[in-house]
Amino acid sequence: TNIMSHEITNIDSVLVPNHSKYAAWHGLETRVGDSIHLADVEEHGLHPQIVEGTVTAGIAGQQVTLKDYKSLCALTREGDLHPLHISGNRYSVIQNRDVWKAMSTAFQGVDMDYKLTCVGTLCGLRRYFISVEVGDANGFSVNGDKFHGNINFVTSHDGSLAFRAYDSMIRIVCNNTLNWSVEGEKNLDFKVYHKGDAKVACNKLGTYLNDVLKGRSIFTEKMEELAAFQVRDADIEAVVGGYFINKAFDRGEKLETFSTRTLNQVQGIADLARHGRGNQGRNMYDVLNGATEFWTSGEGVGKTTTQGRKAFSSEFGTGADRKQEFSRYLIKGDYEPAADEAQRVLNAT
């Protein structure tokens, strides 16, 4: 195979679980068993010690030390040194072992299925990656909605990559797929740059990722609960109206009728719960999606507002606040008493 495509040299290794599902396109992978363990990674030399040295240059017949630069080499288990990079003195090495440790920390105590599906080095030990399958290879599903299924951990020792951990639908098996996977928007994307005390930052990153993954596990559970809670078509307006009843109550008000503006919001969300993107008006998950669509791209962020202002409101402004409030309203079950009151106010209106 043309090495330019995969960049797996004779000193690199790519490990996968022993199952045809995890075969790589280049056929250069090594199968290590049902799962990839730290012992496998160490045995195949994926964690060489990255060592620093001075840089000298021959100028006019003299050897001159370049004081503002240092060399990076990989010291293998066999004692071989492989040159990797010349960097500035401020460059901070992130060892492959630190990336593995951050990955391990990230999944500690997380109630979510995951599996290491590929670990390897590329470009003559200059790049290192770990691909972790979360759920299954196609992602995990809530009420038919797909969510990203892989978390990739990557770093380099040639200045080309920060240490990153991010969501991707792409499993890394070579340099081509690594480059492809780092492109585009990410639901989750953390970075540690090669400067300062990078090792401490890597440890923090593992803790941050652990919090995110635990939150994702809770999110999945709560969304599945909403998807399982059926709602009658005739009750959708009352459920939505209950949110506005509760907001008025928090202000110390008791509504007798809805204002035209509030009624339009109730009807707008209810309509999207029935006919919005992927919604059928059958359960509380549809109601939540109707509200999030209303305050993301619908009239909840303005009929004539520019796309830029809509995006800001949706992600950082009033729209973001409303989406969080509405999701808490449904998840906590606050609609149960409020919906009856909302139906009375709707009738009066």
Side-chain angles (χ1 to χ4, degrees):
T1 308
N2 185 356
I3 195 172
M4 293 298 291
S5 298
H6 52 70
E7 292 289 354
I8 303 170
T9 72
N10 62 347
I11 60 173
D12 294 309
S13 293
V14 172
L15 310 183
V16 300
N18 188 21
H19 191 286
S20 59
K21 171 182 177 181
Y22 301 110
W25 66 270
H26 46 66
L28 300 176
E29 70 275 13
T30 300
R31 300 188 180 190
V32 296
D34 292 337
S35 301
I36 303 173
H37 299 287
L38 178 59
D40 302 316
V41 173
E42 297 282 3
E43 179 185 347
H44 287 83
L46 300 187
H47 289 175
Q49 184 71 16
I50 309 303
V51 296
E52 302 176 359
T54 58
V55 178
T56 60
I59 301 175
Q62 299 183 41
Q63 293 294 316
V64 179
T65 299
L66 305 181
K67 296 181 179 180
D68 294 330
Y69 295 89
K70 58 186 175 184
S71 62
L72 301 179
C73 293
L75 177 61
T76 67
R77 296 173 64 192
E78 294 75 26
D80 298 326
L81 276 175
H82 297 279
L84 302 177
H85 184 49
I86 294 176
S87 70
N89 272 336
R90 298 180 63 186
Y91 184 92
S92 180
V93 171
I94 297 176
Q95 301 287 349
N96 294 357
R97 290 183 183 88
D98 295 331
V99 176
W100 181 278
K101 182 179 178 181
M103 180 276 298
S104 300
T105 302
F107 288 97
Q108 288 177 359
V110 175
D111 186 20
M112 182 177 290
D113 292 336
Y114 68 94
K115 184 182 183 72
L116 275 65
T117 58
C118 200
V119 183
T121 59
L122 302 165
C123 306
L125 303 179
R126 289 176 175 84
R127 288 185 163 192
Y128 174 70
F129 69 88
I130 305 172
S131 271
V132 184
E133 183 180 277
V134 180
D136 59 50
N138 298 315
F140 60 97
S141 178
V142 177
N143 201 43
D145 290 339
K146 288 288 186 181
F147 294 84
H148 288 305
N150 293 288
I151 295 181
N152 293 328
F153 298 77
V154 302
T155 195
S156 75
H157 308 297
D158 60 1
S160 61
L161 290 171
F163 168 30
R164 293 178 67 176
Y166 55 90
D167 267 348
S168 177
M169 291 303 290
I170 299 169
R171 178 177 70 117
I172 301 173
V173 297
C174 65
N175 199 52
N176 210 14
T177 47
L178 191 159
N179 290 334
W180 189 13
S181 73
V182 298
E183 297 298 326
E185 296 297 322
K186 308 284 189 293
N187 291 330
L188 165 68
D189 191 2
F190 287 110
K191 299 179 184 179
V192 175
Y193 293 98
H194 291 268
K195 60 183 179 180
D197 196 339
K199 185 172 182 178
V200 171
C202 288
N203 293 338
K204 291 181 178 178
L205 176 58
T207 303
Y208 294 154
L209 285 168
N210 184 266
D211 291 341
V212 169
L213 290 169
K214 285 183 178 177
R216 177 181 290 180
S217 181
I218 294 170
F219 163 81
T220 304
E221 176 187 344
K222 296 302 181 183
M223 292 305 102
E224 288 176 344
E225 288 177 3
L226 292 180
F229 198 105
Q230 302 298 302
V231 61
R232 294 192 313 160
D233 183 85
D235 293 335
I236 293 178
E237 277 82 3
V239 171
V240 176
Y243 163 77
F244 294 96
I245 292 290
N246 284 355
K247 284 187 66 68
F249 181 80
D250 291 341
R251 297 192 301 266
E253 301 175 14
K254 180 178 173 61
L255 298 181
E256 296 302 328
T257 59
F258 285 127
S259 67
T260 300
R261 180 174 181 274
T262 300
L263 183 62
N264 288 340
Q265 291 184 83
V266 171
Q267 292 174 336
I269 293 171
D271 184 59
L272 289 171
R274 296 184 178 101
H275 309 297
R277 298 171 187 172
N279 296 338
Q280 297 177 315
R282 293 180 177 178
N283 52 52
M284 289 300 180
Y285 186 73
D286 286 338
V287 176
L288 174 61
N289 280 340
T292 55
E293 185 174 347
F294 183 78
W295 281 306
T296 297
S297 57
E299 294 183 5
V301 283
K303 291 183 179 180
T304 59
T305 307
T306 65
Q307 289 299 317
R309 289 188 177 275
K310 283 185 177 182
F312 182 86
S313 175
S314 166
E315 303 305 320
F316 305 107
T318 303
D321 293 339
R322 297 294 176 267
K323 286 186 285 187
Q324 290 181 12
E325 291 170 357
F326 196 89
S327 63
R328 284 195 294 266
Y329 162 73
L330 291 184
I331 289 170
K332 292 171 64 177
D334 291 346
Y335 55 84
E336 292 184 356
D340 291 338
E341 178 67 8
Q343 188 61 62
R344 183 191 66 80
V345 175
L346 281 166
N347 292 341
T349 304

